[in-house]
Amino acid sequence: MSVLDPLAARYATWLGLPAEETALPEASPEQVRAMPVILRLEKAEPPSRTPLLEAAATAALAVCLDERAQPGREWHEPVHDWVAGHIRKVARRARGAHWVAAQDFPGVTVSVEGAEVRALVPGRVVDVPKEISRLQISGSDLPPDEPGPAPDDLPLLLLNPEVAMTVGKAAAQVGHGTMILASLLGDDELAAWAERGYACAVRTATVDQWKQLHPGDDPAAAWRERRVVAVRDAGFTEVDPGTVTVLAQWR
C-alpha cells in the first residue's frame, strides 16, 4: 500500500479499474492543506531554471515516498491527508539564513547541479510556521536556460510551450507530475526509480512534441501506449482552470 494510492484512484476510471467517485469537494479555508516547496534563490549566485525545477520535481515525490511517510510513521498522517485531497503546493523563495532555517522543518532537500530545493511535509496552510510563511511567494522567477537534450533513461516532464509560468508555479506543477507518474507505476518500476533518487528531466516541449504526446480525449491510451499522464491545473494561480501545464512520461 502506498501513500499515493488516493492519487492513483483518481485515474482509475480511465485505467479501467474499479473506483469510487473521485471528485473532491473544496475544503473550507481552515482545512486547506499544501506542501511548502522552498526554492533556494541566492541573490549573488542564482541557480539555473531547469536544474531548480528538476530538484523541485524530485523533492516533492521524495517526501511522499520517504520511509517516514509509510503507515505508522511520523509523516504518514499529514502526507496521506494531503494526497487524499487537493495536492496543492506553495513555492516560496529563500536565501542565506532563511534557507538555513528551512532545513530545521521536516522535509527533504534535493540538489541538482547546484540548484537546491527543500520540500516540506504538507499540512494545513493556517498552521504553516512563521519561519516559512514569511518567505516570499512572488518574485520567484529565473530566466530561461538551454539545458540541452533530455537523457533518454530518465522520466521526462514537459512544460506546456504555450503557457507562461513563473519558476515557482512551474516547480509546483512538475512536482504534481512526478507524484501522478509514481502513483501509476508498478512496484518494480518504482523501486528502480527509487534507486536513482527519483531523478527526472524537465524540459519545455516543442509545439509538435506537445501535440504528439498530449493525451487528448483518450488518456487511457496515452498511458498504455506512450506512458504519458497530464497535469491539469485547478486554476488557483497564474493559469486558467483546466489548463494542462505538464506532461509526464515514464521512460
Side-chain angles (χ1 to χ4, degrees):
M1 182 176 180
S2 169
V3 74
L4 295 175
D5 285 349
L7 189 57
R10 295 176 208 166
Y11 290 80
T13 52
W14 57 260
L15 284 173
L17 303 175
E20 301 297 329
E21 174 59 47
T22 56
L24 297 172
E26 189 59 41
S28 60
E30 65 274 11
Q31 295 300 324
V32 171
R33 298 175 183 273
M35 171 185 277
V37 179
I38 315 302
L39 313 177
R40 186 177 188 183
L41 294 176
E42 297 292 345
K43 191 171 184 179
E45 296 183 13
S48 295
R49 183 182 176 98
T50 295
L52 191 72
L53 293 179
E54 291 173 345
T58 295
L61 180 59
V63 168
C64 298
L65 297 181
D66 191 281
E67 289 184 357
R68 290 164 289 184
Q70 295 301 309
R73 299 294 300 275
E74 61 267 37
W75 292 2
H76 179 72
E77 184 175 351
V79 173
H80 174 272
D81 290 350
W82 173 63
V83 172
H86 296 277
I87 55 169
R88 290 191 179 96
K89 298 181 180 72
V90 178
R92 298 176 182 273
R93 55 189 172 95
R95 62 174 182 260
H98 289 165
W99 169 256
V100 174
Q103 309 308 302
D104 292 336
F105 296 92
V108 175
T109 296
V110 172
S111 177
V112 175
E113 297 179 16
E116 292 184 281
V117 174
R118 185 168 182 81
L120 302 184
V121 173
R124 297 195 310 164
V125 172
V126 295
D127 295 332
V128 172
K130 64 180 181 179
E131 294 89 345
I132 302 302
S133 64
R134 71 185 179 188
L135 300 177
Q136 294 294 312
I137 297 174
S138 62
S140 58
D141 209 2
L142 292 168
D145 57 356
E146 297 181 4
D152 293 333
D153 60 344
L154 290 179
L156 178 63
L157 300 161
L158 292 172
L159 300 167
N160 190 328
E162 298 180 323
V163 174
M165 291 183 283
T166 64
V167 73
K169 179 68 173 182
Q173 299 303 297
V174 294
H176 296 346
T178 51
M179 287 176 59
I180 295 169
L181 200 59
S183 76
L184 300 177
L185 295 178
D187 291 343
D188 290 345
E189 291 171 322
L190 198 56
W193 198 5
E195 289 180 0
R196 302 196 66 177
Y198 305 115
C200 60
V202 175
R203 297 292 187 272
T204 298
T206 65
V207 173
D208 286 344
Q209 189 179 27
W210 187 264
K211 290 179 179 177
Q212 290 171 5
L213 289 177
H214 197 292
D217 296 328
D218 196 354
W223 177 247
R224 184 176 61 250
E225 298 169 6
R226 304 191 295 280
R227 305 303 297 277
V228 171
V229 294
V231 176
R232 195 175 296 276
D233 193 67
F236 293 114
T237 60
E238 295 193 26
V239 302
D240 294 331
T243 299
V244 176
T245 54
V246 171
L247 299 180
Q249 185 179 35
W250 177 253
R251 306 192 301 173

